[in-house]
Amino acid sequence: MYRNEKIKGKQAELGLSNDALAEKAGVNINTVSTIRQGRNVQVDTLKKVVTALGLTLVEVFEPKPAQVEESD
């Protein structure tokens, strides 16, 4: 799922460990791991993590852009 790719990317960009992100979001480290694996969590829990990363739920749920093939 593209959602967890966005979350992982932003987490890496900010240099946050799973522990640091969990603390910043006010959630358990297992919750961060669950989200990074692309598994489902409650929306309010996901929002805490997303907000801690400086993202919005809308950004996280945007579909992956289609790849445009170049023609010769």
PDB file of all heavy atoms in Angstrom, residues 20-35:
ATOM      1  N   ALA A  20      11.285   7.230  18.486  1.00  0.00           N
ATOM      2  CA  ALA A  20      11.112   8.681  18.518  1.00  0.00           C
ATOM      3  C   ALA A  20       9.764   9.081  17.931  1.00  0.00           C
ATOM      4  O   ALA A  20       9.087   9.967  18.465  1.00  0.00           O
ATOM      5  CB  ALA A  20      12.247   9.361  17.763  1.00  0.00           C
ATOM      6  N   LEU A  21       9.361   8.432  16.843  1.00  0.00           N
ATOM      7  CA  LEU A  21       8.074   8.740  16.234  1.00  0.00           C
ATOM      8  C   LEU A  21       6.935   8.360  17.168  1.00  0.00           C
ATOM      9  O   LEU A  21       5.977   9.125  17.337  1.00  0.00           O
ATOM     10  CB  LEU A  21       7.919   8.025  14.888  1.00  0.00           C
ATOM     11  CG  LEU A  21       6.598   8.229  14.166  1.00  0.00           C
ATOM     12  CD1 LEU A  21       6.278   9.711  13.973  1.00  0.00           C
ATOM     13  CD2 LEU A  21       6.615   7.485  12.833  1.00  0.00           C
ATOM     14  N   ALA A  22       7.040   7.210  17.805  1.00  0.00           N
ATOM     15  CA  ALA A  22       6.001   6.776  18.744  1.00  0.00           C
ATOM     16  C   ALA A  22       5.861   7.781  19.880  1.00  0.00           C
ATOM     17  O   ALA A  22       4.740   8.158  20.251  1.00  0.00           O
ATOM     18  CB  ALA A  22       6.333   5.385  19.286  1.00  0.00           C
ATOM     19  N   GLU A  23       6.986   8.223  20.414  1.00  0.00           N
ATOM     20  CA  GLU A  23       6.948   9.192  21.514  1.00  0.00           C
ATOM     21  C   GLU A  23       6.341  10.518  21.054  1.00  0.00           C
ATOM     22  O   GLU A  23       5.489  11.097  21.726  1.00  0.00           O
ATOM     23  CB  GLU A  23       8.357   9.423  22.055  1.00  0.00           C
ATOM     24  CG  GLU A  23       8.375  10.312  23.275  1.00  0.00           C
ATOM     25  CD  GLU A  23       9.769  10.420  23.894  1.00  0.00           C
ATOM     26  OE1 GLU A  23      10.522   9.438  23.852  1.00  0.00           O
ATOM     27  OE2 GLU A  23      10.072  11.507  24.428  1.00  0.00           O
ATOM     28  N   LYS A  24       6.767  10.993  19.889  1.00  0.00           N
ATOM     29  CA  LYS A  24       6.269  12.265  19.362  1.00  0.00           C
ATOM     30  C   LYS A  24       4.769  12.202  19.087  1.00  0.00           C
ATOM     31  O   LYS A  24       4.053  13.178  19.301  1.00  0.00           O
ATOM     32  CB  LYS A  24       7.030  12.604  18.080  1.00  0.00           C
ATOM     33  CG  LYS A  24       6.717  13.955  17.511  1.00  0.00           C
ATOM     34  CD  LYS A  24       7.638  14.288  16.343  1.00  0.00           C
ATOM     35  CE  LYS A  24       7.304  15.676  15.823  1.00  0.00           C
ATOM     36  NZ  LYS A  24       8.185  16.098  14.754  1.00  0.00           N
ATOM     37  N   ALA A  25       4.283  11.040  18.626  1.00  0.00           N
ATOM     38  CA  ALA A  25       2.866  10.872  18.295  1.00  0.00           C
ATOM     39  C   ALA A  25       2.022  10.488  19.503  1.00  0.00           C
ATOM     40  O   ALA A  25       0.798  10.552  19.451  1.00  0.00           O
ATOM     41  CB  ALA A  25       2.711   9.819  17.207  1.00  0.00           C
ATOM     42  N   GLY A  26       2.670  10.067  20.574  1.00  0.00           N
ATOM     43  CA  GLY A  26       1.932   9.647  21.765  1.00  0.00           C
ATOM     44  C   GLY A  26       1.267   8.290  21.601  1.00  0.00           C
ATOM     45  O   GLY A  26       0.186   8.045  22.131  1.00  0.00           O
ATOM     46  N   VAL A  27       1.949   7.414  20.842  1.00  0.00           N
ATOM     47  CA  VAL A  27       1.426   6.060  20.639  1.00  0.00           C
ATOM     48  C   VAL A  27       2.496   5.041  21.008  1.00  0.00           C
ATOM     49  O   VAL A  27       3.658   5.382  21.209  1.00  0.00           O
ATOM     50  CB  VAL A  27       0.977   5.836  19.168  1.00  0.00           C
ATOM     51  CG1 VAL A  27      -0.137   6.797  18.781  1.00  0.00           C
ATOM     52  CG2 VAL A  27       2.139   5.940  18.191  1.00  0.00           C
ATOM     53  N   ASN A  28       2.103   3.800  21.066  1.00  0.00           N
ATOM     54  CA  ASN A  28       3.010   2.697  21.374  1.00  0.00           C
ATOM     55  C   ASN A  28       3.889   2.408  20.165  1.00  0.00           C
ATOM     56  O   ASN A  28       3.449   2.539  19.031  1.00  0.00           O
ATOM     57  CB  ASN A  28       2.147   1.479  21.729  1.00  0.00           C
ATOM     58  CG  ASN A  28       2.968   0.323  22.237  1.00  0.00           C
ATOM     59  OD1 ASN A  28       3.737  -0.269  21.495  1.00  0.00           O
ATOM     60  ND2 ASN A  28       2.775  -0.004  23.501  1.00  0.00           N
ATOM     61  N   ILE A  29       5.119   1.984  20.408  1.00  0.00           N
ATOM     62  CA  ILE A  29       6.023   1.656  19.306  1.00  0.00           C
ATOM     63  C   ILE A  29       5.453   0.551  18.415  1.00  0.00           C
ATOM     64  O   ILE A  29       5.678   0.532  17.209  1.00  0.00           O
ATOM     65  CB  ILE A  29       7.435   1.286  19.809  1.00  0.00           C
ATOM     66  CG1 ILE A  29       8.396   1.166  18.619  1.00  0.00           C
ATOM     67  CG2 ILE A  29       7.388   0.040  20.660  1.00  0.00           C
ATOM     68  CD1 ILE A  29       9.842   1.042  18.992  1.00  0.00           C
ATOM     69  N   ASN A  30       4.690  -0.365  19.001  1.00  0.00           N
ATOM     70  CA  ASN A  30       4.071  -1.429  18.201  1.00  0.00           C
ATOM     71  C   ASN A  30       3.082  -0.844  17.196  1.00  0.00           C
ATOM     72  O   ASN A  30       2.914  -1.381  16.101  1.00  0.00           O
ATOM     73  CB  ASN A  30       3.376  -2.458  19.093  1.00  0.00           C
ATOM     74  CG  ASN A  30       4.366  -3.231  19.938  1.00  0.00           C
ATOM     75  OD1 ASN A  30       5.504  -3.445  19.545  1.00  0.00           O
ATOM     76  ND2 ASN A  30       3.931  -3.638  21.109  1.00  0.00           N
ATOM     77  N   THR A  31       2.443   0.247  17.557  1.00  0.00           N
ATOM     78  CA  THR A  31       1.513   0.920  16.648  1.00  0.00           C
ATOM     79  C   THR A  31       2.260   1.477  15.455  1.00  0.00           C
ATOM     80  O   THR A  31       1.810   1.354  14.313  1.00  0.00           O
ATOM     81  CB  THR A  31       0.762   2.045  17.388  1.00  0.00           C
ATOM     82  OG1 THR A  31       0.049   1.475  18.481  1.00  0.00           O
ATOM     83  CG2 THR A  31      -0.201   2.767  16.469  1.00  0.00           C
ATOM     84  N   VAL A  32       3.407   2.079  15.692  1.00  0.00           N
ATOM     85  CA  VAL A  32       4.225   2.602  14.599  1.00  0.00           C
ATOM     86  C   VAL A  32       4.634   1.463  13.676  1.00  0.00           C
ATOM     87  O   VAL A  32       4.534   1.579  12.445  1.00  0.00           O
ATOM     88  CB  VAL A  32       5.462   3.365  15.130  1.00  0.00           C
ATOM     89  CG1 VAL A  32       6.421   3.721  14.007  1.00  0.00           C
ATOM     90  CG2 VAL A  32       5.032   4.611  15.883  1.00  0.00           C
ATOM     91  N   SER A  33       5.058   0.360  14.231  1.00  0.00           N
ATOM     92  CA  SER A  33       5.446  -0.797  13.419  1.00  0.00           C
ATOM     93  C   SER A  33       4.272  -1.312  12.595  1.00  0.00           C
ATOM     94  O   SER A  33       4.431  -1.639  11.415  1.00  0.00           O
ATOM     95  CB  SER A  33       5.976  -1.924  14.312  1.00  0.00           C
ATOM     96  OG  SER A  33       7.169  -1.525  14.941  1.00  0.00           O
ATOM     97  N   THR A  34       3.108  -1.355  13.206  1.00  0.00           N
ATOM     98  CA  THR A  34       1.898  -1.811  12.509  1.00  0.00           C
ATOM     99  C   THR A  34       1.597  -0.917  11.314  1.00  0.00           C
ATOM    100  O   THR A  34       1.304  -1.397  10.217  1.00  0.00           O
ATOM    101  CB  THR A  34       0.702  -1.829  13.479  1.00  0.00           C
ATOM    102  OG1 THR A  34       0.978  -2.768  14.527  1.00  0.00           O
ATOM    103  CG2 THR A  34      -0.589  -2.223  12.783  1.00  0.00           C
ATOM    104  N   ILE A  35       1.688   0.377  11.508  1.00  0.00           N
ATOM    105  CA  ILE A  35       1.422   1.329  10.431  1.00  0.00           C
ATOM    106  C   ILE A  35       2.472   1.203   9.334  1.00  0.00           C
ATOM    107  O   ILE A  35       2.146   1.197   8.150  1.00  0.00           O
ATOM    108  CB  ILE A  35       1.368   2.772  10.991  1.00  0.00           C
ATOM    109  CG1 ILE A  35       0.129   2.933  11.870  1.00  0.00           C
ATOM    110  CG2 ILE A  35       1.373   3.800   9.872  1.00  0.00           C
ATOM    111  CD1 ILE A  35       0.095   4.215  12.679  1.00  0.00           C
TER     112      ILE A  35
END
